[in-house]
Amino acid sequence: MSDKKKIVSPCISICKTDPITEYCYGCARTIEEKKLWKDEKTTDEWKTKNLNEILNRMKGWQLDTFKESYDHKIKQGISLFKKKLLQK
């Protein structure tokens, strides 16, 4: 088994696309970027670069919320939003 650390998808389970920017409200990715994340041929180098790009797209509360939920997803395997949905 490889010791290589898997890069976790930035999806935080808030999947709605802004009609003006075409960025997801939750993760700030475009539909095309979401497709690339699912493609097994997409490199870790591209994923790392894309993570930096989406962080640069976010500002204020969106960035704070994303960071908190994404950090939780990395550590616990589930985003905060999805965790709260499952608790209902």
Side-chain angles (χ1 to χ4, degrees), residues 21-55:
T21 65
E22 296 187 355
Y23 295 144
C24 175
Y25 288 125
C27 67
R29 293 181 296 168
T30 64
I31 291 169
E32 186 61 34
E33 288 168 334
K34 289 178 182 185
K35 289 178 187 175
L36 285 168
W37 270 88
K38 291 180 181 181
D39 186 338
E40 62 186 39
K41 296 176 195 152
T42 301
T43 66
D44 286 351
E45 180 182 4
W46 182 88
K47 290 177 181 181
T48 300
K49 182 178 176 226
N50 186 242
L51 275 170
N52 289 325
E53 288 172 357
I54 66 172
L55 287 170

Side-chain angles (χ1 to χ4, degrees), residues 12-29:
I12 57 168
S13 305
I14 302 172
C15 303
K16 299 283 182 201
T17 302
D18 180 84
I20 306 294
T21 65
E22 296 187 355
Y23 295 144
C24 175
Y25 288 125
C27 67
R29 293 181 296 168

Side-chain angles (χ1 to χ4, degrees), residues 39-82:
D39 186 338
E40 62 186 39
K41 296 176 195 152
T42 301
T43 66
D44 286 351
E45 180 182 4
W46 182 88
K47 290 177 181 181
T48 300
K49 182 178 176 226
N50 186 242
L51 275 170
N52 289 325
E53 288 172 357
I54 66 172
L55 287 170
N56 286 326
R57 288 178 191 156
M58 294 183 224
K59 305 282 186 256
W61 65 266
Q62 183 189 25
L63 179 59
D64 295 340
T65 300
F66 173 80
K67 285 181 176 180
E68 183 178 355
S69 191
Y70 186 60
D71 186 55
H72 188 273
K73 182 178 178 180
I74 290 170
K75 291 176 182 169
Q76 304 296 323
I78 188 171
S79 71
L80 288 173
F81 184 78
K82 196 168 202 174

